[in-house]
């Protein structure tokens, strides 16, 4: 299950970033050469206990050329049904810049600079790892680089944060159907593989793969394309929540 968000960018010229997907596809059709990164990240999320001031992950280079990358940390909140990232001094990435030879790996640490959070809820951050384009003029063709966005959760002082407490609802807004999930618990919920099961037991994937996160005290909404079966009376819903499959979802419809 993905908990990182790999993003590909074409960076041979800064003004062409918005055209990356179009140019990449055109280059492949035209037979133009392209190089892909070997930058790998493990694990795909980090938990920092209140009793520790740091936790780490490994960056490795499985490609055939050296890799350079920049590492930054952002505070992660959710407002107005959207993820928000803001610069922070509460957490530090060390080292912030790396260069990996072929086959080499480097430990990156997320270091908490102050006291752990209080109030019974974890705090969320994102470790943004941007591969930098090669400066080797001999490299020809398109150059793909990766961005990884790794969730970092800092646990509160005292008693462990409570499990996620989720309230689910479907909302109709014009011709759109929105899934609303509110989390009143003290820890995040990673949501994936939303599935509708009709009264006969037939399973219909509605949102396969990673849907997103509901952070503590936050509400998120996602647009869904409901199959015809899921718009009928009866049936039930399931989802994967924090990696646990077949979690029953009490999904009520809320007219609007």
């Amino acid at each position: 299950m993905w908990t990182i968000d790999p993003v590909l960018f074409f960076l041979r010229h800064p003004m062409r970033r918005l055209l990356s997907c179009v140019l990449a596809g055109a280059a492949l059709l035209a037979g133009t050469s392209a190089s892909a990164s070997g930058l790998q990240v493990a694990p795909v999320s980090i938990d920092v206990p209140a009793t520790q001031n740091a936790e780490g992950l490994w960056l490795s280079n499985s490609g055939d050329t050296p890799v350079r990358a920049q590492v930054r940390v952002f505070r992660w909140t959710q407002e107005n049904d959207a993820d928000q990232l803001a610069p922070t001094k509460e957490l530090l990435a060390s080292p912030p810049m790396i260069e990996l030879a072929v086959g080499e790996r480097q430990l990156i640490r997320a270091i908490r600079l102050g006291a752990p959070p209080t109030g019974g809820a974890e705090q969320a951050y994102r470790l943004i790892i941007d591969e930098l384009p090669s400066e080797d003029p001999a490299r020809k063709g398109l150059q793909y680089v990766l961005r990884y966005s790794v969730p970092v959760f800092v646990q509160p002082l005292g008693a462990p944060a409570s499990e996620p407490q989720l309230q689910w609802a479907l909302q109709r807004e014009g011709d759109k159907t929105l899934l609303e999930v509110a989390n009143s618990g003290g820890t995040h919920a990673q949501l994936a593989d939303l599935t509708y099961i009709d009264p006969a037991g037939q399973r219909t994937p509605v949102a396969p793969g990673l849907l997103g996160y509901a952070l503590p005290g936050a509400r998120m909404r996602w647009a869904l394309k409901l199959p015809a079966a899921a718009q009928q009376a009866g049936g039930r819903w399931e989802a994967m929540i924090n990696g646990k499959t077949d979690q029953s979802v009490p999904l009520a419809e809320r007219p609007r």
Side-chain angles (χ1 to χ4, degrees):
M1 172 57 55
W2 284 94
T3 55
I4 52 180
D5 310 311
V7 182
L8 294 176
F9 291 98
F10 170 43
L11 296 177
R12 293 293 286 183
H13 193 291
M15 298 301 294
R16 298 179 184 175
R17 294 184 185 182
L18 295 179
L19 299 178
S20 58
C21 293
V22 175
L23 292 174
L28 293 177
L29 290 174
T32 303
S33 63
S35 58
S37 169
L39 184 64
Q40 303 293 322
V41 175
V44 295
S45 67
I46 300 176
D47 276 288
V48 182
T51 55
Q52 297 179 200
N53 64 0
E55 190 55 86
L57 56 74
W58 289 94
L59 298 184
S60 59
N61 181 7
S62 62
D64 55 9
T65 57
V67 168
R68 297 183 306 126
Q70 177 185 33
V71 186
R72 296 170 293 162
V73 183
F74 293 86
R75 182 77 163 90
W76 176 23
T77 58
Q78 292 176 329
E79 299 175 8
N80 301 319
D81 306 324
D83 291 319
Q84 307 289 337
L85 298 182
T88 182
K89 295 182 179 179
E90 300 165 354
L91 215 63
L92 173 71
S94 178
M97 298 286 292
I98 64 162
E99 183 167 356
L100 297 175
V102 175
E104 189 178 13
R105 68 174 188 161
Q106 169 73 52
L107 178 66
I108 301 294
R109 300 174 69 200
I111 302 173
R112 177 170 50 77
L113 298 181
T118 58
E122 68 183 12
Q123 288 182 348
Y125 301 83
R126 285 273 179 169
L127 200 66
I128 305 297
I129 303 162
D130 285 306
E131 184 186 2
L132 302 177
S134 171
E135 297 179 347
D136 182 1
R139 295 185 68 176
K140 304 296 183 180
L142 302 182
Q143 185 180 155
Y144 293 94
V145 293
L146 289 174
R147 163 173 286 183
Y148 287 97
S149 178
V150 180
V152 180
F153 302 105
V154 178
Q155 301 307 312
L157 193 65
S162 60
E163 294 292 315
Q165 303 293 324
L166 305 179
Q167 295 80 46
W168 304 72
L170 284 178
Q171 287 190 337
R172 311 284 181 172
E173 288 191 357
D175 59 351
K176 295 192 301 183
T177 300
L178 301 175
L179 171 67
E180 178 183 292
V181 182
N183 182 3
S184 59
T187 54
H188 67 279
Q190 182 202 62
L191 312 175
D193 293 340
L194 182 67
T195 301
Y196 173 75
I197 302 98
D198 68 19
Q202 179 68 35
R203 303 176 66 89
T204 303
V206 176
L210 178 62
L211 180 64
Y213 287 79
L215 298 180
R219 184 198 72 173
M220 290 289 287
R221 295 196 300 172
W222 297 274
L224 297 180
K225 185 175 182 180
L226 293 185
Q231 302 180 47
Q232 307 301 318
R236 56 192 177 89
W237 296 81
E238 287 183 352
M240 178 181 288
I241 304 173
N242 289 338
K244 299 177 181 178
T245 59
D246 300 335
Q247 301 293 295
S248 178
V249 172
L251 213 168
E253 185 162 337
R254 182 182 299 166
R256 184 165 179 170

